[in-house]
């Protein structure tokens, strides 16, 4: 268990939250729409993939969510961005010392970096799975379900409030995939986010959200919000 000193227990954790909060964008998919029968690979079917993933969160169905969302792929992309940002001197100075060391090791490419990277990804995944299975990300009040795992202190300040879709646009084709834009309102922190999700069918009848095309911009937005609470 990491034991960061008390001086980092407030805003410092928030500065470490871009990766965590971007992980939560996976939870912020459309809620409450109808589920008509749609032809695979169409704009409507791509949009419906997002809708169904949101319903999986609402029903605390982690297995269904993982079928509809490439959680591992998106988390890996988010970690790549966060590690790159954490190598900047100012960003590193904003992190608790132990966390700064971990991200430095993950970016080093030296022996053991893969292990550190796997640890960060596994703990982020555990946080998301706990949030879905408990119903916390659907807006349900959860008792006695604290964040678990070695890096649990990192998630102490992450929003676990309901993620509500306020606007969803039409899907458009791009390089064999479909981009589905939607705006997210996070009831936990009162912020709104515009997300461009990429849905892929890969020859199957059911689409899967495989990436967030504007992930880096979103992480920049969250980082700016973190700095504003210092």
């Amino acid at each position: 268990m990491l034991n960061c000193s008390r001086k980092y227990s407030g805003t410092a954790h928030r500065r470490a939250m871009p990766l965590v909060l971007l992980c939560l964008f996976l939870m912020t998919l459309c809620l409450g729409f109808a589920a008509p029968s749609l032809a695979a690979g169409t704009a409507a079917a791509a949009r419906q993939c997002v809708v169904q993933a949101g319903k999986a969160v609402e029903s605390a169905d982690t297995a269904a969510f993982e079928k509809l969302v490439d959680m591992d792929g998106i988390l890996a992309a988010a970690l790549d961005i966060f590690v790159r940002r954490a190598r900047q001197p100012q960003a590193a100075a904003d992190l608790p010392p132990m966390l700064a060391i971990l991200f430095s090791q993950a970016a080093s490419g030296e022996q053991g970096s893969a292990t550190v990277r796997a640890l960060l990804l596994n703990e982020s995944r555990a946080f998301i799975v706990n949030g879905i299975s408990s119903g916390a990300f659907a807006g349900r009040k959860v008792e006695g379900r604290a964040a678990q795992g070695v890096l649990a202190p990192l998630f102490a300040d992450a929003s676990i409030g309901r993620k509500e879709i306020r606007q969803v646009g039409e899907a458009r084709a791009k390089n064999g995939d479909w981009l589905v834009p939607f705006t997210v309102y996070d009831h936990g922190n009162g912020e709104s986010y515009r997300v461009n999700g990429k849905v892929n069918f890969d020859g199957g009848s059911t689409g899967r959200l495989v990436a967030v095309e504007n992930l880096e911009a979103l992480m920049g937005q969250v980082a700016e919000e973190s700095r504003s609470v210092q």
Side-chain angles (χ1 to χ4, degrees):
M1 178 72 68
L2 292 181
N3 184 18
C4 301
S5 63
R6 184 176 180 83
K7 66 182 288 188
Y8 295 101
S9 62
T11 58
H13 282 165
R14 292 190 176 89
R15 296 169 196 150
M17 283 304 104
L19 171 63
V20 175
L21 295 185
L22 260 295
C23 294
L24 297 186
F25 289 143
L26 303 180
M27 308 309 119
T28 58
L29 306 172
C30 299
L31 306 175
F33 292 89
S37 177
L38 302 170
T42 65
R47 189 174 186 273
Q48 188 63 21
C49 168
V50 175
V51 173
Q52 291 301 108
K55 290 183 176 180
V57 175
E58 282 290 281
S59 60
D61 189 342
T62 307
F65 181 82
E66 292 199 61
K67 289 180 181 178
L68 292 158
V69 178
D70 182 7
M71 186 159 41
D72 293 329
I74 297 175
L75 286 176
L79 180 59
D80 286 342
I81 295 171
F82 190 74
V83 166
R84 187 172 70 249
R85 287 173 176 266
R87 298 180 73 176
Q88 301 171 2
Q90 183 56 52
D94 286 341
L95 295 172
M98 182 60 75
L99 187 58
I101 291 171
L102 282 175
F103 280 111
S104 176
Q105 289 177 341
S108 68
E110 298 175 356
Q111 184 176 7
S113 62
T115 300
V116 174
R117 181 183 174 86
L119 172 65
L120 294 168
L121 289 173
N122 288 341
E123 294 301 322
S124 297
R125 167 183 257 277
F127 179 81
I128 294 173
V129 169
N130 288 340
I132 297 176
S133 62
S134 69
F137 294 150
R140 300 171 198 168
K141 185 176 180 180
V142 178
E143 300 290 348
R145 291 291 295 253
Q148 301 172 11
V150 176
L151 300 182
L154 294 179
F155 304 99
D157 293 322
S159 167
I160 58 171
R162 182 187 172 198
K163 314 299 185 276
E164 180 187 3
I165 194 72
R166 291 280 176 94
Q167 182 181 8
V168 61
E170 296 298 323
R172 63 182 179 87
K174 182 179 180 180
N175 300 327
D177 296 314
W178 294 91
L179 297 184
V180 184
F182 52 96
T183 299
V184 171
Y185 179 73
D186 188 327
H187 287 259
N189 61 20
E191 299 289 347
S192 294
Y193 307 90
R194 188 65 176 170
V195 181
N196 291 326
K198 183 163 72 173
V199 174
N200 176 273
F201 285 86
D202 195 24
S205 60
T206 301
R208 197 176 194 215
L209 184 68
V210 296
V212 175
E213 189 167 80
N214 62 329
L215 188 57
E216 184 145 16
L218 286 167
M219 294 188 76
Q221 177 184 345
V222 175
E224 185 62 33
E225 291 167 6
S226 298
R227 285 190 289 270
S228 71
V229 300
Q230 295 182 28

